[in-house]
C-alpha cells in the first residue's frame, strides 16, 4: 500500500492503538467523543444499539463553541448525519468513496474562510464486500462465476421454509455477499429485497455460532482473506485520491491529519468471519497515524497503550482548547513531540454476541482489558453483569491470543503490570496481589 505507507513515513504511528469495539457504530461514537462505549451507551449488537445520552458531547460541538467550523464527508454506512454524535457539524456530505476530489473541493468552497476547521472524512473502502467497489460503467464486470440458478433455488427455500436452508447454501451466500460488490449486487437482484433480508438472517445466525463448528470455515476464510488482500490496492488508491484532494486545497501549513480505522476483520481464525462478535486483536488493533508537519516531533513509531478514545483529547489540545475532565481518552500531544512517551494504562473494548443452545438464544457481553503486555477478555450476562468466564492472554509469549488462561488460574495478575491489575480490580475482580503490594501505614 504505497500511498498509505508514504503517509505513515511522514507521521507518528501509535503501534499499539486499539478500537473500543469491533464494529463501526460504537467505535465511531467513541472516536468522536473521547468516551468508551460503557460511557457513550452505544454498546452491543447493531439492533440493540441506541443513541448516546444528551449529556455526551461530540468533538464538533466543542470546537464550534470555540469558534471553529466543523463538517463531515462520508460514505454512508453506520455514520448517520442525524445521529447525536454528529451534532455541531455545519454540514455532512455523502460521496467520499465515489468522487473524493469533487466532494472535498465542494466542502472547501462552502466553508467559511479565515476560520479554523475540523473535517471528518469517513470511507468504507476497506469494508466488505472486498472486491470490485471501483467498478466503472462501460466495461464488463467480472461476475466471479455467479450462479444465478443456485440463487433462485435458495430463494425458493427462503421464501417457503428458511430454517431448512442447508449450511452449504448459507456458506455460498456468505462468500457471494462478502467477496465482491458485483456478486453482492447480483445476489440481491436474484433474491429480491424481502428474500435478501431473510438471507441476511440466515447468514447472521450462521456467523453467530454455527460457523464455529463448520469444518470448511478455514478454507472459506482463506479465500475471503485473499479477496481482502487483493482489494487493498483499491483502498490505497482511494487513500491517495483523498490525500491528493486535501493537498490541492493548499491548506494552512501545520494542518493536522489523522488516519485511523474503526475496527479490524477476521477470516475464520476464531470460528467466524467479518467483524463484531469477538474482541481479539485482529478485530480491535487498528492504525492510528498522526501527521502534524512542522509543529511537533519527527515521524516515528510510538509504543504503548493508545486508542481511538485519545483522538478527541489530542484534537482539542492541538486546537489550543482545554481537555475536559471525565473523558476516557488522553491527549497524545506529548507523545507526538520528540521523546514523548505514553503512560502505563489499560485500554478497554466492548462487544456483544449471540449464542444459540438447544433452540434458545442468549446474548453475551464481552469486555476486554488490554495493555501491550497482557489482555483479559471477560464474558458477562448483560442483564445481571454476572461473569460467565474470563481468559487472560500473555501477549509477549502468545501474541496471537491462541492460549487463554482462565483468570482464576492466574495467581499474580500484578506480574502483567500494575495498570493491568488495577483495571481488573476496577472491572470487579478480586486482585489480592494489589493489596499485598500496598505497604502498611503505622
Amino acid at each position: 500500500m504505497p500511498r498509505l505507507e508514504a503517509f505513515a513515513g511522514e507521521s507518528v504511528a501509535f503501534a499499539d492503538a486499539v478500537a473500543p469495539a469491533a464494529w463501526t457504530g460504537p467505535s465511531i461514537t467513541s472516536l468522536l467523543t473521547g468516551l468508551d462505549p460503557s460511557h457513550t451507551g452505544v454498546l452491543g449488537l447493531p439492533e440493540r444499539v441506541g443513541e448516546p445520552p444528551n449529556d455526551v458531547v461530540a468533538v464538533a460541538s466543542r470546537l464550534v463553541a470555540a469558534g471553529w467550523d466543523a463538517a463531515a464527508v462520508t460514505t454512508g454506512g453506520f455514520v448517520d448525519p442525524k445521529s447525536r454524535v454528529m451534532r455541531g457539524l455545519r454540514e455532512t456530505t455523502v460521496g467520499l468513496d465515489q468522487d473524493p476530489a469533487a466532494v472535498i473541493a465542494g466542502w472547501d468552497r462552502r466553508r467559511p474562510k479565515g476560520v479554523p476547521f475540523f473535517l471528518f472524512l469517513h470511507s468504507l473502502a476497506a469494508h466488505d464486500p472486498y472486491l470490485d467497489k471501483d467498478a466503472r460503467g462501460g466495461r464488463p464486470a467480472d461476475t466471479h462465476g455467479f450462479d444465478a440458478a443456485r440463487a433462485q433455488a435458495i430463494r425458493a427455500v427462503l421464501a417457503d421454509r428458511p430454517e431448512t436452508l442447508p449450511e452449504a447454501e448459507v456458506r455460498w451466500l456468505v462468500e457471494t455477499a462478502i467477496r465482491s460488490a458485483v456478486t453482492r449486487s447480483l445476489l440481491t437482484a436474484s433474491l429480491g429485497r424481502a428474500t435478501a433480508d431473510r438471507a441476511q438472517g440466515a447468514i447472521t445466525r450462521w456467523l453467530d455460532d454455527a460457523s464455529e463448528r463448520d469444518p470448511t470455515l478455514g478454507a472459506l476464510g482463506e479465500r475471503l482473506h485473499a479477496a481482502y488482500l487483493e482489494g487493498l490496492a483499491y483502498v490505497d488508491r482511494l487513500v491517495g485520491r483523498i490525500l491528493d484532494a486535501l493537498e490541492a486545497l493548499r491548506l494552512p501549513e501545520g494542518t493536522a491529519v489523522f488516519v485511523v480505522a474503526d475496527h479490524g476483520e477476521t477470516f475464520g481464525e476464531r470460528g467466524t468471519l467479518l467483524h463484531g462478535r469477538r474482541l481479539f486483536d485482529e478485530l480491535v488493533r487498528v492504525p492510528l497515524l498522526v501527521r502534524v508537519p512542522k509543529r511537533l516531533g519527527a515521524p516515528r513509531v510510538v509504543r504503548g497503550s493508545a486508542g481511538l478514545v485519545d483522538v478527541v483529547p489530542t484534537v482539542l489540545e492541538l486546537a489550543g482548547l482545554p481537555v475536559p475532565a471525565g473523558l476516557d481518552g488522553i491527549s497524545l500531544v506529548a507523545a507526538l513531540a520528540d521523546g514523548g512517551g505514553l503512560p502505563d494504562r489499560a485500554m478497554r473494548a466492548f462487544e456483544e454476541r449471540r449464542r444459540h443452545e438447544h433452540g434458545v438464544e442468549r446474548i453475551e457481553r464481552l469486555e476486554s482489558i488490554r495493555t501491550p503486555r497482557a489482555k483479559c477478555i471477560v464474558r458477562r450476562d448483560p442483564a445481571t453483569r454476572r461473569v460467565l468466564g474470563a481468559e487472560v492472554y500473555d501477549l509477549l509469549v502468545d501474541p496471537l491470543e491462541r492460549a487463554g488462561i482462565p483468570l482464576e488460574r492466574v495467581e499474580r495478575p500484578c506480574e502483567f503490570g500494575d495498570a493491568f491489575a488495577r483495571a481488573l480490580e476496577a472491572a470487579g475482580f478480586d486482585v489480592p496481589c494489589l493489596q499485598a503490594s500496598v505497604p502498611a501505614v503505622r
Side-chain angles (χ1 to χ4, degrees):
M1 302 183 72
R3 291 303 304 268
L4 190 57
E5 289 172 5
F7 181 87
E10 301 169 348
S11 307
V12 176
F14 293 90
D16 298 302
V18 295
W23 69 280
T24 298
S27 278
I28 292 294
T29 303
S30 292
L31 172 70
L32 296 177
T33 61
L35 298 169
D36 73 36
S38 70
H39 295 134
T40 65
V42 181
L43 189 164
L45 296 165
E47 67 272 20
R48 286 165 49 89
V49 163
E51 284 282 315
N54 284 320
D55 59 354
V56 170
V57 182
V59 64
S61 295
R62 298 186 189 278
L63 292 168
V64 168
W68 285 55
D69 182 57
V73 180
T74 78
T75 316
F78 282 95
V79 181
D80 184 351
K82 298 178 182 178
S83 168
R84 289 176 188 165
V85 78
M86 303 291 276
R87 283 183 298 194
L89 296 170
R90 175 179 50 80
E91 68 173 35
T92 299
T93 307
V94 177
L96 180 64
D97 287 1
Q98 290 72 34
D99 194 344
V103 293
I104 290 173
W107 159 79
D108 185 57
R109 286 193 300 271
R110 295 185 296 273
R111 73 181 175 95
K113 301 303 188 287
V115 175
F117 68 87
F118 170 81
L119 178 63
F120 173 55
L121 300 163
H122 180 251
S123 168
L124 290 173
H127 205 279
D128 68 276
Y130 305 132
L131 296 174
D132 305 317
K133 291 193 285 287
D134 60 344
R136 296 284 186 269
R139 62 179 176 84
D142 183 356
T143 63
H144 303 281
F146 177 75
D147 189 338
R150 189 172 188 176
Q152 288 299 315
I154 290 174
R155 176 176 182 169
V157 175
L158 289 172
D160 184 31
R161 297 183 62 191
E163 70 280 0
T164 67
L165 188 68
E167 284 198 3
E169 302 305 273
V170 177
R171 288 194 301 271
W172 183 81
L173 287 172
V174 169
E175 185 165 11
T176 303
I178 294 175
R179 188 169 190 268
S180 161
V182 171
T183 56
R184 177 180 290 187
S185 177
L186 291 170
L187 179 64
T188 301
S190 294
L191 295 178
R193 174 53 58 189
T195 311
D197 289 342
R198 290 189 175 188
Q200 184 58 55
I203 290 171
T204 297
R205 287 190 297 274
W206 184 77
L207 291 173
D208 283 340
D209 49 21
S211 56
E212 285 185 324
R213 304 182 295 274
D214 194 321
T216 69
L217 179 67
L220 174 57
E222 289 179 3
R223 294 195 299 274
L224 291 174
H225 189 222
Y228 177 84
L229 293 177
E230 184 180 343
L232 291 181
Y234 161 72
V235 177
D236 195 58
R237 289 196 300 273
L238 188 63
V239 168
R241 293 170 65 196
I242 292 169
L243 293 174
D244 290 343
L246 293 173
E247 291 292 334
L249 302 182
R250 300 188 181 278
L251 297 173
E253 189 175 53
T255 297
V257 180
F258 293 67
V259 173
V260 304
D262 54 358
H263 59 76
E265 198 83 335
T266 189
F267 297 96
E269 303 95 328
R270 314 291 177 170
T272 191
L273 302 166
L274 296 171
H275 43 274
R277 300 181 177 86
R278 310 287 196 277
L279 287 174
F280 294 104
D281 271 7
E282 61 266 22
L283 288 165
V284 295
R285 285 282 299 278
V286 293
L288 173 50
L289 308 172
V290 186
R291 186 182 72 183
V292 194
K294 299 186 178 181
R295 287 179 60 186
L296 293 172
R300 67 195 188 287
V301 175
V302 176
R303 297 281 177 181
S305 293
L308 299 192
V309 293
D310 299 327
V311 170
V312 165
T314 306
V315 167
L316 293 175
E317 185 170 353
L318 287 172
L321 299 175
V323 177
L327 298 185
D328 294 307
I330 63 171
S331 172
L332 302 175
V333 168
L336 290 168
D338 282 327
L342 292 169
D344 184 24
R345 62 183 177 138
M347 308 300 293
R348 298 197 305 166
F350 300 84
E351 194 54 70
E352 284 187 347
R353 63 174 296 192
R354 294 181 196 84
R355 305 302 297 266
H356 301 88
E357 296 175 352
H358 309 295
V360 177
E361 178 182 290
R362 64 182 175 87
I363 293 173
E364 291 182 353
R365 178 162 294 174
L366 309 179
E367 175 185 352
S368 74
I369 297 165
R370 189 190 191 282
T371 69
R373 176 69 177 80
K375 181 173 178 179
C376 181
I377 298 179
V378 183
R379 296 178 291 113
R380 299 183 188 269
D381 180 322
T384 66
R385 288 191 50 81
R386 179 174 64 89
V387 174
L388 304 174
E391 290 77 40
V392 174
Y393 298 85
D394 183 338
L395 298 180
L396 292 187
V397 300
D398 182 25
L400 298 181
E401 301 164 285
R402 298 296 194 224
I405 307 166
L407 179 57
E408 62 269 19
R409 288 173 45 197
V410 179
E411 294 182 0
R412 292 188 58 81
C414 297
E415 293 179 356
F416 293 118
D418 184 71
F420 181 74
R422 294 196 181 280
L424 286 176
E425 185 178 56
F429 294 99
D430 184 30
V431 186
C433 59
L434 283 177
Q435 287 86 43
S437 66
V438 177
V441 178
R442 299 183 184 276

